[in-house]
Amino acid sequence: MAVLYFLLFALWACSSPSDDSVNDKSADSTLSNLSDEQLLDTVQYYTFQYFWEGAEPNSGMAPERIHMDGLYPDQHQYIITTGGTGMGLIGILGAIERGWITREAAVKRFDKMLTFLEKADRFHGIWPHWLDGKTGKTKPFSPKDDGADLVESAFLMQGLLAVREYFKNGNEAEQKISQRIQTLWEEMDWSWHTQNGQNVLYWHWSPNFGWDMNFALEGYNETLVTYILAAASPTHPINPEAYHQGWARSEAIRSPRETPYGYSLQLRHNGAEELGGPLFWAHYSYLSINPKGLKDQYADYWEENRNQTLINRAWCIANPGKFRGYGEDLWGLTASYSVNFYHAHRPGDDIGVISPTAALSSIVYTPEESMKVIRNLYENYGEKVFGPYGFYDAISPHHDFFPQRYLAIDQGPIVTMIENYRSGLGWKLVMNAPEIQQGLEKLGFSYEIPN
């Protein structure tokens, strides 16, 4: 296993340097003898590389996917993801704090990103899900999803707000980055996505098809942060009624129940009421919004997310499908690549595929349990599951399925949640933003700001 560590380091060290290359980082231990701290450092560092060395060259943004085999559907090697980029931004800030890159290199990268985002297609200030990294033009996500994607834009802006807060008191170049993010934030018209004042937000708007997709954001799923940002907007906010009547379904979102594994859920998970949804529902909205102490009239979100994680783990340990490899050191069901290309794996819809992002991004909720998975994957599976951008997206010992492929929306939560677990960086930055606090209070949340 020591060979893998030094091989990966050598591959990185010998790669062509860019104008914002990472500082030299020496290997100081063999794979099999890493402490928990060294192991987290290694996993976080290589996952960060997805958003640094792996970034799309023209835009500096995160590619939707990276396939080590070089095979892509429909020229997707050039397609960047708005939401996936946002999910990795706190990981870039963590890299500054850990000395892997300089502040100057990060400012240069953020300047490139913002220049791209300022010129890229937007609709009432809202970006699409996918953009062509070379041109900034919309790449349709589906036939009618060819315009504004409110949820992916929320995932992008939560990361950008962390960057804004990080640099707002810095030097002239750093403050300029913060000011440009502020302008993009103010230009986002969240109220437009209520379809003329309805008490609910809608996910999509198309310049060609209008509101045809008609996808209302009703909970519970991954989109809570969309309502928080919409309420917090300094220029185009929504009314609290949209949250309470729309997201919370006029209180129908509440559905307290015990599960067979001894952990309770307070909320009705859309389409997954019995055992909870895929684990990304406990990750995406909480990359910047601190779930610790986050409560409203419907739920304690720390308890909800931790219990969802423990239910997911318990399902895998019970292993009703009798899939090889499952256990206390290999669990975690969420949306990822799969034996049928892509699948939103969850308890009750389990086809024998483990997604490393599920347990790794849950480290804030289940540190000991997640570390067992990290160590098992790293030490016992090695090169089959770990590459130049961290753990690959999905594995299945049962199906002998070990694709060397990555997705931004799975790598981003890993690098950000590991940093939040270690330092609380993303939570501290965004939860200290005045308008975020105002938005939370407007919707009736109580919250904690990490020290």
Side-chain angles (χ1 to χ4, degrees):
M1 293 301 297
V3 173
L4 173 62
Y5 186 90
F6 289 108
L7 175 60
L8 290 175
F9 174 73
L11 286 173
W12 169 80
C14 294
S15 63
S16 299
S18 64
D19 56 2
D20 42 14
S21 294
V22 179
N23 292 341
D24 182 39
K25 177 179 182 293
S26 298
D28 59 358
S29 179
T30 62
L31 284 181
S32 57
N33 294 313
L34 296 180
S35 66
D36 282 357
E37 198 69 11
Q38 290 172 322
L39 183 53
L40 284 178
D41 202 47
T42 301
V43 173
Q44 183 177 344
Y45 173 75
Y46 283 105
T47 310
F48 149 72
Q49 290 294 349
Y50 186 98
F51 301 91
W52 194 256
E53 293 294 340
E56 193 282 320
N58 179 62
S59 64
M61 304 276 284
E64 164 67 12
R65 61 193 86 223
I66 295 178
H67 293 175
M68 302 313 295
D69 57 16
L71 300 176
Y72 294 89
D74 196 21
Q75 300 289 306
H76 273 190
Q77 66 268 42
Y78 304 115
I79 302 305
I80 63 93
T81 167
T82 51
T85 295
M87 293 174 190
L89 295 183
I90 291 168
I92 295 177
L93 300 179
I96 302 172
E97 292 293 295
R98 297 186 182 280
W100 301 338
I101 57 174
T102 64
R103 290 175 72 96
E104 293 77 14
V107 166
K108 192 171 184 179
R109 175 60 62 85
F110 290 131
D111 173 71
K112 179 184 285 188
M113 288 184 185
L114 293 173
T115 299
F116 177 81
L117 288 169
E118 288 161 349
K119 298 176 181 178
D121 282 352
R122 281 186 287 166
F123 310 90
H124 300 270
I126 307 299
W127 293 276
H129 188 144
W130 283 344
L131 290 163
D132 186 316
K134 296 181 293 183
T135 66
K137 297 301 181 182
T138 303
K139 167 70 174 179
F141 188 73
S142 66
K144 291 188 176 182
D145 188 357
D146 62 352
D149 187 311
L150 191 68
V151 174
E152 296 297 318
S153 294
F155 296 150
L156 173 58
M157 185 48 64
Q158 72 171 333
L160 287 174
L161 288 175
V163 175
R164 184 198 73 177
E165 291 297 298
Y166 190 83
F167 287 120
K168 68 180 182 181
N169 296 319
N171 61 33
E172 183 178 353
E174 292 172 354
Q175 290 185 39
K176 183 65 174 176
I177 293 295
S178 292
Q179 292 160 6
R180 293 167 70 188
I181 292 171
Q182 182 66 22
T183 298
L184 292 172
W185 168 226
E186 292 176 358
E187 290 173 347
M188 299 178 75
D189 191 347
W190 305 85
S191 60
W192 170 259
H193 280 259
T194 62
Q195 285 196 44
N196 298 316
Q198 296 186 53
N199 285 327
V200 66
L201 286 170
Y202 288 86
W203 196 312
H204 315 91
W205 180 81
S206 163
N208 299 304
F209 304 100
W211 300 106
D212 279 8
M213 292 190 71
N214 206 41
F215 195 130
L217 300 186
E218 298 173 318
Y220 183 72
N221 55 24
E222 75 274 25
T223 66
L224 175 61
V225 71
T226 311
Y227 276 92
I228 294 172
L229 292 181
S233 170
T235 51
H236 303 284
I238 59 167
N239 293 320
E241 289 77 14
Y243 175 73
H244 296 294
Q245 295 181 29
W247 167 259
R249 302 173 183 265
S250 298
E251 299 202 8
I253 193 173
R254 294 189 72 252
S255 180
R257 63 202 180 282
E258 292 294 324
T259 68
Y261 299 109
Y263 305 106
S264 62
L265 292 174
Q266 305 152 80
L267 302 176
R268 177 176 288 110
H269 289 224
N270 295 343
E273 289 81 3
E274 183 180 359
L275 296 171
L279 272 181
F280 73 89
W281 290 7
H283 304 150
Y284 288 3
S285 284
Y286 309 98
L287 302 177
S288 63
I289 303 300
N290 180 21
K292 295 179 180 177
L294 188 69
K295 302 176 184 178
D296 66 2
Q297 67 194 71
Y298 310 111
D300 176 327
Y301 292 88
W302 177 263
E303 180 182 348
E304 186 75 3
N305 293 344
R306 187 170 190 275
N307 282 356
Q308 184 193 349
T309 304
L310 290 169
I311 292 165
N312 195 292
R313 175 178 179 268
W315 168 278
C316 291
I317 292 172
N319 193 12
K322 301 188 185 307
F323 298 117
R324 287 195 302 275
Y326 278 33
E328 292 187 356
D329 58 1
L330 191 63
W331 56 271
L333 305 176
T334 193
S336 72
Y337 276 128
S338 191
V339 291
N340 55 2
F341 183 65
Y342 189 83
H343 197 87
H345 315 99
R346 61 175 174 82
D349 187 5
D350 178 10
I351 57 176
V353 176
I354 296 293
S355 311
T357 189
L360 272 66
S361 301
S362 295
I363 194 168
V364 297
Y365 308 117
T366 53
E368 292 182 5
E369 296 90 342
S370 294
M371 280 303 305
K372 287 183 179 179
V373 176
I374 295 173
R375 190 166 292 281
N376 177 36
L377 290 172
Y378 197 69
E379 294 181 352
N380 297 323
Y381 288 87
E383 296 95 330
K384 294 182 76 171
V385 302
F386 193 88
Y389 304 118
F391 288 109
Y392 296 121
D393 194 59
I395 77 163
S396 176
H398 187 85
H399 297 291
D400 194 26
F401 177 71
F402 297 94
Q404 295 187 345
R405 296 184 168 189
Y406 296 99
L407 290 173
I409 57 173
D410 289 337
Q411 300 309 104
I414 293 172
V415 71
T416 290
M417 283 305 210
I418 288 178
E419 185 58 50
N420 279 336
Y421 168 66
R422 301 176 82 183
S423 72
L425 178 63
W427 295 337
K428 292 174 186 176
L429 290 168
V430 177
M431 296 299 288
N432 271 296
E435 64 267 56
I436 296 301
Q437 296 177 14
Q438 293 165 10
L440 287 166
E441 292 163 9
K442 180 178 178 179
L443 299 182
F445 282 93
S446 58
Y447 56 89
E448 295 177 6
I449 301 174
N451 295 322

